[in-house]
Amino acid sequence: MRLDESVTEPISIDIWSDIACPWCYIGKRNLEKGLDAVAGDDDAPQVNITFHSFELSPDTPVDFHGDEVDFLAGHKGMPRAQVEQMLSHVTGVAAEAGLEYRFDLLQHTNTVKAHELLHHAKANDLQHEMEERLMSAYFTEGKHVGRIDDLVDLAVEVGLDADETRQALESSVHLSAVRQDQAQARAYGIQGVPFFVIDGQYGISGAQPPAAFENVLRDLWSKRGESERESAAV
């Protein structure tokens, strides 16, 4: 997540995700592992990461009465046994990524205010910290991430001002930015998340393993270096 200090422009990584998407947190962690792996290269790829809003279940109430099994079984029409098996599988995959999912504590909620908060954090150069805090709060700590009071508390933890954050959330000043992200997702044809757009031209769908990100980043960075050397020789 370092900004390039040389002439070479950083590789842009735009990530569409929902903080209530279990695969998005796994994908985020796998990307970070991929970045760590290439950081030791002699000519390490430099990147600039931006998170974008995607709501998986925009019709979800802020206060959903029931647990994650209830939500998926009732709201999505899935058999409870199938839901429990699916959550067990996701929990195992998350553990491999170093994440301890607690679906028994998770409080399902509407995420639009969380997305507004991420845009507020972005305006204050704290988007990455806020993304991590929201996902951790939701999946591993069982915290509520749909109510303004709870979101303000989490925002303060990453360094945002409480009063400014509350004003931003109560006024919905960043809602238009959330909608713009969603419109761009539709324009790209994104139907599921996480979805990674690399340099505006390569799309990676799903929680791919760290090696997938390593390969793409090294390939792009190598080609960029070759292009610049050719331009310099002209």
Side-chain angles (χ1 to χ4, degrees), residues 19-20 60-67 102 105-115 117 130 133-155 157 169:
I19 61 97
T60 303
V62 172
D63 292 301
F64 176 78
H65 300 291
D67 60 17
R102 292 296 305 272
L105 301 178
L106 187 149
Q107 299 187 62
H108 202 84
T109 186
N110 189 288
T111 61
V112 68
K113 284 297 176 185
H115 285 296
L117 175 55
M130 196 73 255
R133 188 67 196 96
L134 285 167
M135 286 182 160
S136 176
Y138 186 74
F139 283 109
T140 73
E141 302 168 42
K143 292 182 180 293
H144 203 295
V145 298
R147 298 185 295 245
I148 290 178
D149 286 348
D150 299 278
L151 290 171
V152 169
D153 288 343
L154 293 172
E157 290 184 26
L169 294 177

Side-chain angles (χ1 to χ4, degrees), residues 208-229:
Q208 299 297 323
F213 296 107
E214 290 179 48
N215 294 336
V216 171
L217 292 172
R218 286 190 173 117
D219 183 55
L220 279 176
W221 196 248
S222 175
K223 289 180 179 177
R224 184 166 295 179
E226 292 174 1
S227 177
E228 291 185 357
R229 286 191 292 272

Side-chain angles (χ1 to χ4, degrees), residues 14-18 50-55 112 114-120 122 127 131 174-191 193 195 197:
D14 292 278
I15 307 171
W16 270 262
S17 66
D18 192 343
T50 304
F51 291 95
H52 298 275
S53 303
F54 191 101
E55 290 180 90
V112 68
H115 285 296
E116 291 179 35
L117 175 55
L118 285 169
H119 280 279
H120 176 64
K122 179 183 177 183
Q127 189 191 43
E131 181 86 12
H174 296 292
L175 181 58
S176 60
V178 173
R179 299 307 182 214
Q180 287 172 8
D181 277 353
Q182 294 168 332
Q184 184 62 64
R186 289 192 294 272
Y188 277 143
I190 299 172
Q191 297 181 332
V193 288
F195 196 92
V197 177

